[in-house]
């Protein structure tokens, strides 16, 4: 999971001058639960309208079990 990898390396990234923010198309409630469950040292943003996600061009169609899905 990408978020856990970033969390594991957070101090190195921060020391190198990076500021981390997690962004997801999930609801605020889901983001809060996810943040609490894994105790991330950085903030998570619920981008339900996908405004931020689309501006960065990371919303992509992928295939899972031969069905098209949209995800980061």
């Amino acid at each position: 999971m990408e978020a856990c990898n970033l969390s594991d390396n957070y101090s190195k990234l921060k020391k190198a001058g990076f500021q981390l923010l997690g962004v997801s198309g999930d609801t605020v409630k889901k983001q809060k639960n996810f943040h609490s469950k894994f105790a991330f040292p950085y903030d998570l943003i619920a981008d339900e309208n996908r405004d931020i996600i689309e501006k960065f061009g990371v919303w992509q169609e992928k295939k899972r079990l031969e069905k098209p899905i949209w995800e980061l």
Side-chain angles (χ1 to χ4, degrees):
M1 170 185 302
E2 295 90 356
C4 289
N5 183 302
L6 290 172
S7 188
D8 292 344
N9 292 289
Y10 179 75
S11 58
K12 290 178 190 175
L13 293 166
K14 189 173 180 180
K15 196 176 202 176
F18 291 95
Q19 181 179 356
L20 296 180
L21 292 171
V23 180
S24 170
D26 290 329
T27 65
V28 171
K29 183 179 179 180
K30 284 184 180 182
Q31 285 294 72
K32 284 183 178 182
N33 291 340
F34 188 62
H35 190 274
S36 295
K37 180 178 179 178
F38 291 100
F40 295 124
Y42 52 89
D43 294 327
L44 300 178
I45 298 171
D47 185 22
E48 294 181 66
N49 295 327
R50 297 183 185 89
D51 295 330
I52 297 168
I53 292 168
E54 288 181 12
K55 284 182 181 161
F56 281 91
V58 295
W59 194 242
Q60 302 171 14
E61 183 177 15
K62 298 180 181 179
K63 288 199 176 194
R64 185 171 292 155
L65 300 175
E66 298 304 315
K67 293 181 181 178
I69 60 168
W70 286 88
E71 65 181 18
L72 292 172

